Amino acid sequence: MARGRSEDIYTRPLRRLFVTIACVLLVLLVLLWRIDNPRAEGIRAAIVDRVVPNMEWALVPVTWAGRLIEDFEGYARVYEQNRDLRRELQQMKSWREAAIQLEQENARLLDLNKVRLSPELTYVTGVVLTDSGSPFRRSVLLNIGAEDGIRDGWAAMDGLGLVGRISGVGPRTSRVLLLTDGNSRIPVTIEPAGKRAILAGDTTSAPALDFVENPEDVRAGDRIVTSGDGGVFPPDLAVGQVVRGTDGRLRVRLAADTSRLEFLRVLRTREAPRIDASGTILVPAPGPVQGPPAPASGG
């Protein structure tokens, strides 16, 4: 204990002396650096030339730390730029999808414009809202209805061929019964043979041909168009081509893609004139009955 106290008696004054000397040197160094005097400037230059080259080892960690900070700031900037680029790329992808959808819609509308129709036919174009396809029914809903002049029974086409007919009309919507529906029956003509048949839907993608005149004369690849019989559809509307089914029946590969419908063109069909009276065409109207000629008088 006595030895420790004696050491403290000698070390404390030495510490105070060293601290005092260091403070005085620092104050003198500050004053030297602030004095605007040519002699002081020479002293400062001499001190810098002697001390700084020998202190390069001490500046290495400082330089390394500065470079590390700069690299970290550069990494942060790169990270921000990468995040902005990813955000812009996501926006570009959404714009690309929108552009592809618009391009597809434009292509389908151009296909509609390529359809050549009789000058006597007019049409209304509608957008397919929903597809109520099921194992037993094939139909779609359009965004046009009675307010647009749509009537029951009119034909509906896409840009490639006949799709079906209007089977229900509301004020602003209408339903199209597709050719593939089990309740669809339309008269058609097989070209170039000119054979008549009935296209009967059976919920498959290739409806069957029934009541074909001389089926042996019909070949795969023959063109199918509407016949116009009964005033159901206008004549010469493209329907599809004849194919031979796996069951051996004659079927039709439809020209229209009924699985991807977006726009349909409803054809305005003129109503057939009604005949209110019967018999006036073949039998002449009754007139006054004429008697036998009177005998000539002699004289």
Side-chain angles (χ1 to χ4, degrees), residues 295-299:
S297 58

Side-chain angles (χ1 to χ4, degrees), residues 69-285:
I69 294 173
E70 291 179 357
D71 294 342
F72 179 78
E73 292 177 351
Y75 173 78
R77 288 194 299 269
V78 171
Y79 177 78
E80 292 292 335
Q81 292 176 358
N82 188 20
R83 187 173 61 181
D84 295 339
L85 289 175
R86 287 185 178 181
R87 188 183 302 110
E88 293 179 2
L89 180 61
Q90 190 67 26
Q91 293 177 355
M92 292 293 292
K93 287 183 178 179
S94 61
W95 293 341
R96 178 176 176 271
E97 293 297 329
I100 291 176
Q101 292 178 2
L102 291 175
E103 184 180 3
Q104 292 175 351
E105 292 181 2
N106 187 34
R108 289 183 176 88
L109 289 174
L110 290 176
D111 289 338
L112 286 179
N113 292 330
K114 294 177 183 177
V115 178
R116 302 302 180 188
L117 301 175
S118 172
E120 299 179 355
L121 293 175
T122 59
Y123 54 84
V124 182
T125 302
V127 179
V128 176
L129 299 178
T130 59
D131 183 355
S132 62
S134 67
F136 308 102
R137 185 172 177 82
R138 298 287 188 273
S139 65
V140 295
L141 191 67
L142 295 181
N143 67 338
I144 51 178
E147 295 181 356
D148 304 290
I150 304 299
R151 296 186 181 180
D152 216 1
W154 284 0
M157 302 183 66
D158 70 348
L160 301 175
L162 185 67
V163 170
R165 61 179 175 85
I166 301 295
S167 64
V169 180
R172 298 182 181 178
T173 58
S174 57
R175 185 166 295 280
V176 178
L177 187 70
L178 301 181
L179 298 179
T180 55
D181 188 90
N183 296 320
S184 176
R185 301 288 186 277
I186 65 169
V188 295
T189 300
I190 304 173
E191 295 182 346
K195 305 296 182 180
R196 301 298 176 92
I198 297 295
L199 182 66
D202 54 1
T203 68
T204 63
S205 59
L209 284 174
D210 293 336
F211 308 107
V212 182
E213 301 176 5
N214 300 327
E216 60 275 5
D217 296 336
V218 179
R219 298 180 180 179
D222 287 351
R223 187 167 177 261
I224 304 295
V225 297
T226 55
S227 65
D229 294 340
V232 179
F233 288 128
D236 299 327
L237 298 180
V239 177
Q241 291 183 336
V242 176
V243 294
R244 182 73 65 173
T246 55
D247 54 357
R249 298 181 62 184
L250 292 176
R251 294 183 174 272
V252 176
R253 181 188 295 114
L254 299 178
D257 187 2
T258 57
S259 62
R260 300 180 61 183
L261 298 176
E262 291 190 12
F263 303 96
L264 291 183
R265 178 173 289 176
V266 181
L267 305 182
R268 294 190 179 97
T269 306
R270 295 182 179 180
E271 295 183 359
R274 295 180 58 183
I275 302 176
D276 298 327
S278 61
T280 58
I281 299 177
L282 302 178
V283 181

